[in-house]
Short mmCIF file of all heavy atoms in Angstrom, two decimals:
data_model
loop_
_atom_site.label_atom_id
_atom_site.label_comp_id
_atom_site.label_asym_id
_atom_site.label_seq_id
_atom_site.Cartn_x
_atom_site.Cartn_y
_atom_site.Cartn_z
N LEU A 50 -6.03 -14.75 9.56
CA LEU A 50 -5.65 -15.25 10.89
C LEU A 50 -4.61 -16.35 10.68
O LEU A 50 -4.93 -17.41 10.13
CB LEU A 50 -6.89 -15.80 11.61
CG LEU A 50 -6.69 -16.66 12.85
CD1 LEU A 50 -5.77 -15.98 13.86
CD2 LEU A 50 -8.03 -16.96 13.50
N LEU A 52 -2.92 -18.97 12.19
CA LEU A 52 -2.81 -19.86 13.35
C LEU A 52 -1.65 -20.81 13.13
O LEU A 52 -1.84 -21.97 12.71
CB LEU A 52 -4.12 -20.63 13.53
CG LEU A 52 -5.20 -19.95 14.35
CD1 LEU A 52 -6.40 -20.87 14.50
CD2 LEU A 52 -4.70 -19.54 15.73
N THR A 84 -0.38 -12.00 12.22
CA THR A 84 -1.66 -11.44 12.71
C THR A 84 -1.39 -10.51 13.90
O THR A 84 -2.00 -9.44 14.03
CB THR A 84 -2.63 -12.57 13.10
OG1 THR A 84 -2.72 -13.50 12.02
CG2 THR A 84 -4.01 -12.02 13.40
N LEU A 88 -1.93 -6.22 14.32
CA LEU A 88 -2.53 -5.52 15.46
C LEU A 88 -1.56 -4.50 16.04
O LEU A 88 -1.95 -3.36 16.34
CB LEU A 88 -2.93 -6.54 16.55
CG LEU A 88 -3.39 -5.90 17.86
CD1 LEU A 88 -4.70 -5.13 17.66
CD2 LEU A 88 -3.56 -6.95 18.95
N ALA A 103 2.44 -6.34 21.51
CA ALA A 103 1.23 -6.93 22.10
C ALA A 103 1.61 -8.00 23.11
O ALA A 103 2.66 -8.65 22.98
CB ALA A 103 0.36 -7.53 21.00
N THR A 104 0.76 -8.18 24.10
CA THR A 104 1.02 -9.15 25.18
C THR A 104 -0.24 -9.97 25.45
O THR A 104 -1.33 -9.62 24.99
CB THR A 104 1.43 -8.42 26.47
OG1 THR A 104 0.36 -7.52 26.82
CG2 THR A 104 2.71 -7.62 26.30
N ALA A 105 -0.07 -11.04 26.23
CA ALA A 105 -1.16 -11.98 26.47
C ALA A 105 -2.31 -11.38 27.27
O ALA A 105 -3.43 -11.87 27.21
CB ALA A 105 -0.62 -13.22 27.20
N SER A 106 -2.05 -10.34 28.05
CA SER A 106 -3.08 -9.68 28.86
C SER A 106 -2.56 -8.30 29.23
O SER A 106 -1.39 -7.99 28.99
CB SER A 106 -3.36 -10.50 30.13
OG SER A 106 -2.22 -10.48 30.98
N GLY A 107 -3.43 -7.52 29.85
CA GLY A 107 -2.99 -6.21 30.33
C GLY A 107 -1.92 -6.35 31.40
O GLY A 107 -0.93 -5.61 31.42
N MET A 108 -2.11 -7.33 32.31
CA MET A 108 -1.12 -7.51 33.37
C MET A 108 0.22 -7.97 32.81
O MET A 108 1.29 -7.60 33.33
CB MET A 108 -1.63 -8.50 34.44
CG MET A 108 -2.73 -7.95 35.33
SD MET A 108 -2.50 -6.25 35.90
CE MET A 108 -0.95 -6.36 36.79
N CYS A 206 -6.32 2.37 29.50
CA CYS A 206 -7.39 1.39 29.34
C CYS A 206 -8.78 2.03 29.28
O CYS A 206 -9.59 1.66 28.45
CB CYS A 206 -7.29 0.44 30.53
SG CYS A 206 -8.51 -0.83 30.58
N HIS A 225 -1.94 -0.95 27.65
CA HIS A 225 -3.35 -1.30 27.45
C HIS A 225 -3.68 -2.67 28.00
O HIS A 225 -2.91 -3.61 27.85
CB HIS A 225 -3.71 -1.31 25.96
CG HIS A 225 -4.14 0.02 25.48
ND1 HIS A 225 -5.33 0.58 25.87
CD2 HIS A 225 -3.53 0.93 24.70
CE1 HIS A 225 -5.43 1.77 25.32
NE2 HIS A 225 -4.35 2.01 24.62
N SER A 226 -4.86 -2.76 28.61
CA SER A 226 -5.53 -4.04 28.72
C SER A 226 -6.47 -4.07 27.53
O SER A 226 -7.52 -3.43 27.54
CB SER A 226 -6.31 -4.14 30.03
OG SER A 226 -7.16 -5.27 29.95
N ALA A 227 -6.07 -4.80 26.48
CA ALA A 227 -6.91 -4.89 25.27
C ALA A 227 -8.17 -5.68 25.54
O ALA A 227 -9.11 -5.68 24.74
CB ALA A 227 -6.11 -5.52 24.13
N THR A 228 -8.18 -6.38 26.68
CA THR A 228 -9.34 -7.13 27.16
C THR A 228 -10.57 -6.25 27.28
O THR A 228 -11.70 -6.73 27.19
CB THR A 228 -9.01 -7.68 28.56
OG1 THR A 228 -7.70 -8.24 28.56
CG2 THR A 228 -10.01 -8.71 29.02
N LYS A 229 -10.36 -4.96 27.49
CA LYS A 229 -11.47 -4.06 27.79
C LYS A 229 -11.99 -3.44 26.48
O LYS A 229 -12.51 -4.15 25.65
CB LYS A 229 -11.02 -3.01 28.80
CG LYS A 229 -10.30 -3.61 30.03
CD LYS A 229 -11.19 -4.46 30.91
CE LYS A 229 -10.42 -5.28 31.93
NZ LYS A 229 -9.44 -4.56 32.72
N TYR A 230 -11.81 -2.14 26.29
CA TYR A 230 -12.48 -1.48 25.15
C TYR A 230 -11.86 -1.80 23.80
O TYR A 230 -12.50 -1.61 22.77
CB TYR A 230 -12.49 0.03 25.35
CG TYR A 230 -13.34 0.44 26.52
CD1 TYR A 230 -12.78 0.80 27.73
CD2 TYR A 230 -14.73 0.43 26.41
CE1 TYR A 230 -13.57 1.15 28.81
CE2 TYR A 230 -15.53 0.78 27.48
CZ TYR A 230 -14.94 1.15 28.67
OH TYR A 230 -15.73 1.48 29.73
N LEU A 231 -10.61 -2.27 23.73
CA LEU A 231 -10.02 -2.50 22.41
C LEU A 231 -10.71 -3.69 21.75
O LEU A 231 -11.12 -3.61 20.59
CB LEU A 231 -8.50 -2.71 22.51
CG LEU A 231 -7.71 -1.53 23.11
CD1 LEU A 231 -6.21 -1.77 22.98
CD2 LEU A 231 -8.08 -0.19 22.48
N ASP A 232 -10.87 -4.78 22.49
CA ASP A 232 -11.75 -5.86 22.01
C ASP A 232 -13.18 -5.33 22.01
O ASP A 232 -13.88 -5.37 21.01
CB ASP A 232 -11.60 -7.10 22.90
CG ASP A 232 -12.71 -8.12 22.63
OD1 ASP A 232 -13.29 -8.10 21.53
OD2 ASP A 232 -12.99 -8.95 23.52
N GLY A 233 -13.61 -4.86 23.17
CA GLY A 233 -14.87 -4.16 23.28
C GLY A 233 -16.10 -5.03 23.39
O GLY A 233 -17.20 -4.53 23.60
N GLN A 234 -15.93 -6.35 23.26
CA GLN A 234 -17.10 -7.21 23.31
C GLN A 234 -16.90 -8.41 24.22
O GLN A 234 -17.56 -9.44 24.08
CB GLN A 234 -17.47 -7.64 21.88
CG GLN A 234 -18.11 -6.47 21.12
CD GLN A 234 -17.68 -6.41 19.67
OE1 GLN A 234 -18.31 -6.98 18.81
NE2 GLN A 234 -16.57 -5.74 19.41
N GLY A 235 -15.94 -8.25 25.17
CA GLY A 235 -15.80 -9.24 26.23
C GLY A 235 -15.41 -10.63 25.77
O GLY A 235 -15.82 -11.62 26.37
N ARG A 236 -14.57 -10.74 24.73
CA ARG A 236 -14.30 -12.07 24.18
C ARG A 236 -12.94 -12.64 24.57
O ARG A 236 -12.81 -13.83 24.83
CB ARG A 236 -14.39 -12.00 22.64
CG ARG A 236 -15.77 -11.60 22.16
CD ARG A 236 -15.79 -11.26 20.69
NE ARG A 236 -15.02 -10.06 20.41
CZ ARG A 236 -15.07 -9.40 19.26
NH1 ARG A 236 -15.84 -9.84 18.29
NH2 ARG A 236 -14.35 -8.32 19.07
N VAL A 237 -11.91 -11.79 24.56
CA VAL A 237 -10.55 -12.33 24.76
C VAL A 237 -9.73 -11.46 25.71
O VAL A 237 -10.05 -10.30 25.94
CB VAL A 237 -9.77 -12.42 23.41
CG1 VAL A 237 -10.43 -13.41 22.47
CG2 VAL A 237 -9.62 -11.05 22.77
N LEU A 238 -8.65 -12.04 26.22
CA LEU A 238 -7.65 -11.27 26.97
C LEU A 238 -6.57 -10.80 26.01
O LEU A 238 -6.24 -11.49 25.05
CB LEU A 238 -6.98 -12.15 28.05
CG LEU A 238 -7.80 -12.65 29.22
CD1 LEU A 238 -6.87 -13.39 30.19
CD2 LEU A 238 -8.52 -11.54 29.94
N GLY A 239 -6.02 -9.65 26.32
CA GLY A 239 -4.89 -9.15 25.53
C GLY A 239 -4.35 -7.90 26.17
O GLY A 239 -4.98 -7.31 27.07
N GLY A 240 -3.15 -7.50 25.75
CA GLY A 240 -2.55 -6.28 26.28
C GLY A 240 -1.57 -5.72 25.28
O GLY A 240 -1.28 -6.35 24.25
N ALA A 241 -1.04 -4.53 25.59
CA ALA A 241 -0.09 -3.90 24.68
C ALA A 241 0.72 -2.84 25.40
O ALA A 241 0.27 -2.27 26.39
CB ALA A 241 -0.82 -3.28 23.49
N THR A 262 3.38 -13.67 25.31
CA THR A 262 3.03 -13.00 24.06
C THR A 262 1.55 -13.23 23.75
O THR A 262 0.92 -14.14 24.28
CB THR A 262 3.87 -13.58 22.91
OG1 THR A 262 4.08 -14.96 23.18
CG2 THR A 262 5.20 -12.90 22.79
N LEU A 263 1.01 -12.42 22.85
CA LEU A 263 -0.40 -12.52 22.49
C LEU A 263 -0.61 -13.65 21.47
O LEU A 263 0.18 -13.79 20.54
CB LEU A 263 -0.86 -11.19 21.88
CG LEU A 263 -2.36 -11.07 21.57
CD1 LEU A 263 -3.19 -11.13 22.85
CD2 LEU A 263 -2.65 -9.79 20.81
N SER A 264 -1.67 -14.41 21.65
CA SER A 264 -1.97 -15.47 20.67
C SER A 264 -2.51 -14.82 19.40
O SER A 264 -3.19 -13.79 19.46
CB SER A 264 -2.99 -16.46 21.24
OG SER A 264 -4.30 -16.05 20.91
N PRO A 265 -2.21 -15.43 18.22
CA PRO A 265 -2.72 -14.84 16.97
C PRO A 265 -4.24 -14.79 16.92
O PRO A 265 -4.80 -13.84 16.38
CB PRO A 265 -2.16 -15.75 15.87
CG PRO A 265 -1.49 -16.89 16.55
CD PRO A 265 -1.31 -16.55 17.99
N PHE A 266 -4.89 -15.78 17.52
CA PHE A 266 -6.36 -15.76 17.52
C PHE A 266 -6.88 -14.52 18.27
O PHE A 266 -7.75 -13.80 17.79
CB PHE A 266 -6.95 -17.03 18.15
CG PHE A 266 -8.45 -17.02 18.16
CD1 PHE A 266 -9.17 -17.28 17.01
CD2 PHE A 266 -9.14 -16.72 19.33
CE1 PHE A 266 -10.57 -17.23 17.00
CE2 PHE A 266 -10.53 -16.66 19.33
CZ PHE A 266 -11.24 -16.93 18.17
N ASN A 267 -6.31 -14.28 19.46
CA ASN A 267 -6.75 -13.11 20.23
C ASN A 267 -6.42 -11.82 19.49
O ASN A 267 -7.19 -10.86 19.52
CB ASN A 267 -6.12 -13.13 21.62
CG ASN A 267 -6.72 -14.20 22.52
OD1 ASN A 267 -7.43 -15.08 22.03
ND2 ASN A 267 -6.44 -14.14 23.80
N ALA A 268 -5.26 -11.79 18.82
CA ALA A 268 -4.88 -10.60 18.05
C ALA A 268 -5.91 -10.34 16.95
O ALA A 268 -6.30 -9.19 16.70
CB ALA A 268 -3.49 -10.78 17.43
N TRP A 269 -6.37 -11.40 16.31
CA TRP A 269 -7.35 -11.26 15.23
C TRP A 269 -8.67 -10.70 15.77
O TRP A 269 -9.27 -9.80 15.18
CB TRP A 269 -7.56 -12.63 14.57
CG TRP A 269 -8.45 -12.60 13.39
CD1 TRP A 269 -8.14 -12.22 12.11
CD2 TRP A 269 -9.84 -12.94 13.37
NE1 TRP A 269 -9.24 -12.31 11.30
CE2 TRP A 269 -10.30 -12.76 12.05
CE3 TRP A 269 -10.73 -13.40 14.34
CZ2 TRP A 269 -11.62 -13.02 11.67
CZ3 TRP A 269 -12.04 -13.65 13.97
CH2 TRP A 269 -12.47 -13.47 12.64
N ILE A 270 -9.10 -11.22 16.93
CA ILE A 270 -10.34 -10.72 17.55
C ILE A 270 -10.19 -9.23 17.87
O ILE A 270 -11.10 -8.42 17.63
CB ILE A 270 -10.65 -11.51 18.85
CG1 ILE A 270 -10.99 -12.97 18.53
CG2 ILE A 270 -11.75 -10.83 19.66
CD1 ILE A 270 -12.37 -13.21 18.00
N ILE A 271 -9.04 -8.85 18.42
CA ILE A 271 -8.84 -7.45 18.83
C ILE A 271 -8.73 -6.54 17.59
O ILE A 271 -9.23 -5.41 17.60
CB ILE A 271 -7.62 -7.33 19.77
CG1 ILE A 271 -7.88 -8.14 21.05
CG2 ILE A 271 -7.34 -5.87 20.13
CD1 ILE A 271 -6.63 -8.42 21.89
N LEU A 272 -8.13 -7.04 16.52
CA LEU A 272 -8.11 -6.27 15.25
C LEU A 272 -9.54 -5.94 14.82
O LEU A 272 -9.85 -4.83 14.40
CB LEU A 272 -7.45 -7.10 14.15
CG LEU A 272 -5.96 -6.95 13.94
CD1 LEU A 272 -5.47 -8.04 12.99
CD2 LEU A 272 -5.59 -5.58 13.39
N LYS A 273 -10.42 -6.94 14.92
CA LYS A 273 -11.82 -6.74 14.54
C LYS A 273 -12.48 -5.75 15.51
O LYS A 273 -13.30 -4.93 15.11
CB LYS A 273 -12.57 -8.07 14.55
CG LYS A 273 -12.11 -9.03 13.48
CD LYS A 273 -12.66 -8.66 12.13
CE LYS A 273 -11.61 -8.60 11.09
NZ LYS A 273 -12.02 -7.93 9.85
N GLY A 274 -12.10 -5.84 16.79
CA GLY A 274 -12.64 -4.90 17.78
C GLY A 274 -12.24 -3.47 17.46
O GLY A 274 -13.06 -2.55 17.56
N LEU A 275 -10.99 -3.28 17.05
CA LEU A 275 -10.51 -1.92 16.77
C LEU A 275 -11.30 -1.26 15.65
O LEU A 275 -11.43 -0.03 15.60
CB LEU A 275 -9.02 -1.94 16.40
CG LEU A 275 -8.04 -2.13 17.56
CD1 LEU A 275 -6.60 -2.11 17.04
CD2 LEU A 275 -8.22 -1.07 18.64
N ARG A 281 -17.83 2.89 18.90
CA ARG A 281 -18.25 2.40 20.22
C ARG A 281 -17.94 3.42 21.31
O ARG A 281 -18.78 3.73 22.16
CB ARG A 281 -17.54 1.09 20.56
CG ARG A 281 -18.15 -0.15 19.94
CD ARG A 281 -17.50 -1.43 20.45
NE ARG A 281 -16.16 -1.67 19.94
CZ ARG A 281 -15.03 -1.54 20.62
NH1 ARG A 281 -15.05 -1.18 21.88
NH2 ARG A 281 -13.87 -1.77 20.06
N ASN A 356 -16.34 -6.83 35.40
CA ASN A 356 -15.67 -6.54 34.14
C ASN A 356 -16.20 -5.22 33.54
O ASN A 356 -17.25 -4.72 33.92
CB ASN A 356 -15.87 -7.69 33.14
CG ASN A 356 -14.87 -7.61 32.01
OD1 ASN A 356 -13.78 -7.04 32.15
ND2 ASN A 356 -15.24 -8.13 30.86
N LEU A 357 -15.45 -4.68 32.62
CA LEU A 357 -15.84 -3.42 32.00
C LEU A 357 -15.30 -3.41 30.58
O LEU A 357 -14.51 -4.26 30.20
CB LEU A 357 -15.28 -2.24 32.80
CG LEU A 357 -13.75 -2.17 32.95
CD1 LEU A 357 -13.14 -1.26 31.91
CD2 LEU A 357 -13.38 -1.68 34.34
N GLY A 358 -15.75 -2.42 29.81
CA GLY A 358 -15.22 -2.29 28.44
C GLY A 358 -16.02 -3.08 27.43
O GLY A 358 -15.56 -3.33 26.33
N ASP A 359 -17.23 -3.46 27.79
CA ASP A 359 -18.06 -4.29 26.94
C ASP A 359 -19.20 -3.46 26.36
O ASP A 359 -19.54 -2.42 26.91
CB ASP A 359 -18.64 -5.42 27.82
CG ASP A 359 -19.01 -6.65 27.03
OD1 ASP A 359 -19.90 -6.56 26.16
OD2 ASP A 359 -18.43 -7.72 27.29
#
Side-chain angles (χ1 to χ4, degrees):
L50 166 51
L52 273 183
T84 309
L88 172 66
T104 58
S106 67
M108 287 318 300
C206 179
H225 272 290
S226 168
T228 315
K229 311 294 167 49
Y230 294 103
L231 300 188
D232 167 23
Q234 286 141 91
R236 298 168 294 193
V237 296
L238 293 185
T262 34
L263 186 65
S264 91
F266 180 77
N267 288 13
W269 185 80
I270 293 283
I271 298 164
L272 269 169
K273 293 283 130 194
L275 284 181
R281 279 187 287 106
N356 197 25
L357 60 96
D359 205 298

